[in-house]
Amino acid sequence: MTVRLTMLCASAADGGQDRLFGDCGSPGTPVTVALPPYAVALRAPSARCARTARALGVDATPEHALRGLDHGAWEGRTLADVAAEDPYGLSVWLTDPDAAPHGGETVRRLCRRTADWLGALPAGTGAVLAVVEESVVRAALVHALSLPVRSFRYLDVPSALTLTLRDGRWSARPAAPAAPRHRGAADGSVLVAAPAVPVTRRHPCLTGRP
């Protein structure tokens, strides 16, 4: 059977050197995207994902396995502060998916637990909506597209991403902007506001966002 998972990225817009690591800020500049019908709504346990789900009017159940990357001692600190105090640690963390100089979680571990969660979705789950942090969307893309873990920081993620499992294989498709429509349209879709980011390869992410 087919599983369709739509992931909404709740992470804040890039704040440059003032960017805070971890659960902080609010969703970025919104655009209108069409959200397909769903049978199950989940969210990461962070306050930001809770705010995003609430703003969208989605009654989402917290799912611990969908939590964002644990930044350990860097949680709540700015990129500039960490770069000034531990430039070597930051450099290693940005280039090595097995590094955790902050004492938190490695990128490889995040990718592994995200892949484990995707693999545990029952075949009859149907349509699922998940409001998650950007790091989880990246990890899901790494798994779905069978990318090396080192590609994690080279991915721009979309504001809304649909992963479809069919015949044991995942496919990924970003949600395109939609023309304004009323909530509860005839086809069952609703409108949501989410930050728009294209799916591309890019230079390594140099913010605290992953």
Side-chain angles (χ1 to χ4, degrees), residues 6 23 32 140 149 194 202 205:
T6 299
D23 181 21
T32 302
V149 177
R202 65 170 183 176
C205 176

Side-chain angles (χ1 to χ4, degrees), residues 17 23 30 44 46-47 53 71-72 80 106 161 193 203:
Q17 291 291 308
D23 181 21
S46 70
H71 295 96
T106 67
L161 172 74
H203 296 296

Side-chain angles (χ1 to χ4, degrees), residues 69-170:
L69 185 65
D70 178 6
H71 295 96
W74 294 353
E75 194 80 12
R77 300 186 61 187
T78 66
L79 175 66
D81 285 345
V82 172
E85 179 178 300
D86 187 11
Y88 176 75
L90 181 62
S91 177
V92 170
W93 180 71
L94 288 170
T95 56
D96 184 357
D98 293 304
H102 43 53
E105 186 176 30
T106 67
V107 166
R108 188 178 301 278
R109 175 56 189 156
L110 167 66
C111 291
R112 184 179 301 119
R113 67 173 166 85
T114 302
D116 289 344
W117 181 81
L118 289 170
L121 285 173
T125 301
V128 181
L129 172 69
V131 181
V132 297
E133 301 290 345
E134 181 182 324
S135 59
V136 176
V137 181
R138 287 189 186 189
L141 278 171
V142 166
H143 174 69
L145 302 181
S146 299
L147 299 173
V149 177
R150 287 188 178 275
S151 68
F152 177 89
R153 299 192 188 281
Y154 293 84
L155 293 170
D156 275 326
V157 302
S159 58
L161 172 74
T162 297
L163 298 177
T164 302
L165 178 64
R166 185 179 291 109
D167 298 328
R169 297 175 65 94
W170 287 99

